[in-house]
């Protein structure tokens, strides 16, 4: 997938009850974590608009370096809007693009 900057996650203990750190992903979609070997819980707190919050998950930190991959679904989509009448495109049509709360985007 494409790296997602600005997503916020909490690193918690194995039962997800104690927060060890809250981190925001950088432009490369990652954040640094230093942890002792063991089991931890990764809790998504927020993601940028247009993305879907991923599920909470546990991960195991081995001795040495490690990487935990999390897929954040969604994101900006590209497409095309065509005004037509009887299947024939209408030139000069003007559109306003609005989000789910009807705010202009």
């Amino acid at each position: 997938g494409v790296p997602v900057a600005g997503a916020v996650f909490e690193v918690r203990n194995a039962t997800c009850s104690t927060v060890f750190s809250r981190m925001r992903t950088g432009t490369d979609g990652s954040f640094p974590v230093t942890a002792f070997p063991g089991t931890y819980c990764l809790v998504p707190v927020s993601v940028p608009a247009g993305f879907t919050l991923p599920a909470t998950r546990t991960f195991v930190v081995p001795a040495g370096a490690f990487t935990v991959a999390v897929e954040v679904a969604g994101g900006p989509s590209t497409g095309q809007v065509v005004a037509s009448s009887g299947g024939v495109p209408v030139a000069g049509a003007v559109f306003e693009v609005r989000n789910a709360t009807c705010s202009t985007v």
Side-chain angles (χ1 to χ4, degrees), residues 43 70 75 78:
V43 178
V70 177
T78 58

Side-chain angles (χ1 to χ4, degrees), residues 2 7-8 15 18 20 22-24 32 36-37 40 48 51 53 56-57 61 75 79 82 99 102:
V2 176
V8 177
T15 61
T18 303
F20 294 134
R22 180 181 275 219
M23 303 297 288
R24 181 179 305 275
F36 290 107
Y40 296 86
F51 291 93
L53 206 61
T56 295
R57 60 177 289 192
V61 173
V82 178
N99 62 18
C102 289

Side-chain angles (χ1 to χ4, degrees), residues 9-96:
F9 292 90
E10 289 180 347
V11 178
R12 300 182 181 187
N13 65 341
T15 61
C16 296
S17 60
T18 303
V19 177
F20 294 134
S21 64
R22 180 181 275 219
M23 303 297 288
R24 181 179 305 275
T25 57
T27 56
D28 66 351
S30 71
F31 58 85
V33 174
T34 300
F36 290 107
T39 301
Y40 296 86
C41 187
L42 187 65
V43 178
V45 175
S46 65
V47 292
F51 291 93
T52 303
L53 206 61
T56 295
R57 60 177 289 192
T58 57
F59 63 97
V60 176
V61 173
F66 64 95
T67 300
V68 178
V70 177
E71 183 68 26
V72 179
S77 297
T78 58
Q80 181 176 333
V81 176
V82 178
S84 63
S85 176
V88 177
V90 177
V94 177
F95 294 91
E96 251 185 12

